[in-house]
Amino acid sequence: MKAVQYRAIGAAPEVVTVPDPEPGPGEVLLRVTAAGVCHSDIAVMSMPEVGFPLPLTLGHEGAGTVAALGAGVTGFEIGDSVAVYGPWGCGTCPACAAGRENYCVRAGELGIHPPGLGAPGAIAEYLIVDDARHLVPLDGLDPVRSVPLTDAGLTPYHAIKKSLCKLIPGSTAVVIGTGGLGHVGIQLLRALSPARVIALDVSQDKLALARAVGAHETVVSDDKAAARVRELTGGRGATAVFDFVGAPPTTATAGACVAMEGDVTIVGLGGGTLPVGFGVLPYEVNVMSPYWGSRGELLEVLDLARAGAVEVHVETFSLDEAPLAYERLHAGKIDGRAVILPNG
Ligand code: NAD
Ligand code: ZN
Ligand code: ZN
């Protein structure tokens, strides 16, 4: 089959032919319908070393139809349309038992990796899913428009849920970076809370998308952005800041615009940090850096999509065009999320 692989440190992703995978006991083979392209892959491909062997088939947002069931798998039929819960864990530790496999305490020790981030990923004609519990039926949702919900939806959803009790009427949420995750994050905030949403980005196109998906205000992300947020909030600052860039200038903006008792959530992998200490930030600010979300939260996100509360903006590419999709994402030229159609 054809697959898109990261083959050597620093190399560009390549379309290659690899052996057709076959599901072992307990595994499920999916014919991939759609696979999302996340900026985290670009972060991984710029690291001097990675914690798994190369070559690696990319893609940690996957949706497909069940093509074959390994020995012992029940509960799914050939042809079922499913999305894949990506942060695979051991399945039995306390976090996994609660469906929070993103925080599995044993994944490292057992060498368990998410697809596309250590295990073979979804940007390929076929994908092996290591356990049927990682499959979520799409139940009528369009796989192309919903595949980004498995990460670009789930990750902001998990982050926003942590701050929901603070996002009361009169509160303000700031979204920094309105790309794949951010443009879904804005819609989730609008669906889940009465907060006023202020979106920050460096690109006017992205700010236009932010307004189109529900941001009340947009602000250019520069060294004056925090002052502008304070102005827009009558001096109070933002109740919650979701930083989907996480680079030094944006974590600085987040710290400078958050309100007393507010939350700063650093989701982006941009290498920025935010020092915490008495008098460094406004009183009682919480700073968090979450990873992905739980299986239960993925079901909730898909239910929100079914209710029409979130709509991902997608740009589609064939499998052969996947390297181009990565180039365009790297250049900031994707509006919403790039989705690869490996069998399209
Ligand atoms: P993306 O490229 O689609 O979006 C990033 C957006 O940030 C773009 O709109 C870009 O214009 C904007 N941007 C760049 N520099 C900026 C700045 N200084 N100020 C404001 N906006 C700026 O990326 P994505 O796929 O949405 O991913 C966003 C980040 O989240 C990445 O760092 C990714 O690695 C990370 N991520 C983290 C998790 C997690 O679990 N923590 C999960 C998925 C993605
Ligand atoms: Zn991702
Ligand atoms: Zn576990």
Side-chain angles (χ1 to χ4, degrees), residues 23-29 66 68-77 129-133 135:
E27 297 178 340
V28 177
L29 180 73
V66 173
L69 300 171
V73 177
T74 56
F76 287 90
E77 305 282 340
V129 176
D130 76 342
D131 194 292
R133 75 175 186 279
L135 301 179

Side-chain angles (χ1 to χ4, degrees), residues 79-312:
D80 283 354
S81 175
V82 294
V84 179
Y85 173 73
W88 298 348
C90 72
T92 52
C93 75
C96 286
R100 298 185 293 110
E101 300 205 24
N102 50 323
Y103 295 144
C104 176
V105 293
R106 299 197 62 211
E109 150 204 345
L110 296 172
I112 300 171
H113 296 283
L117 291 166
I123 308 182
E125 290 173 81
Y126 289 90
L127 168 70
I128 294 281
V129 176
D130 76 342
D131 194 292
R133 75 175 186 279
H134 296 134
L135 301 179
V136 182
L138 279 173
D139 280 340
L141 283 174
D142 170 28
V144 178
R145 293 188 172 274
S146 12
V147 72
L149 296 173
T150 61
D151 178 17
L154 176 56
T155 301
Y157 184 77
H158 172 77
I160 290 164
K161 263 191 101 175
K162 295 262 176 197
S163 298
L164 265 193
C165 60
K166 297 186 183 181
L167 293 173
I168 56 175
S171 66
T172 302
V174 165
V175 169
I176 308 180
T178 64
L181 272 68
H183 93 287
V184 181
I186 292 167
Q187 298 177 61
L188 293 169
L189 283 162
R190 293 303 312 275
L192 299 170
S193 86
R196 185 167 172 226
V197 178
I198 305 179
L200 272 59
D201 204 292
V202 288
S203 144
Q204 285 299 340
D205 290 349
K206 304 298 175 77
L207 291 178
L209 175 63
R211 282 190 293 274
V213 297
H216 297 94
E217 310 273 355
T218 52
V219 172
V220 173
S221 180
D222 59 16
D223 56 4
K224 296 188 240 8
R228 182 75 188 124
V229 170
R230 290 220 168 260
E231 210 175 280
L232 288 168
T233 53
R236 280 166 66 181
T239 318
V241 183
F242 302 96
D243 184 353
F244 296 113
V245 180
T250 60
T251 54
T253 295
C257 76
V258 66
M260 279 190 277
E261 300 179 276
D263 290 347
V264 173
T265 306
I266 303 169
V267 179
L269 274 52
T273 57
L274 188 56
V276 177
F278 199 88
V280 179
L281 290 173
Y283 295 130
E284 224 176 299
V285 163
N286 254 319
V287 180
M288 292 166 274
S289 47
Y291 170 65
W292 226 326
S294 73
R295 284 166 54 204
E297 286 167 338
L298 177 55
L299 299 190
E300 291 167 31
V301 173
L302 295 178
D303 274 334
L304 270 176
R306 268 182 217 104
V310 260
E311 202 175 296
V312 185

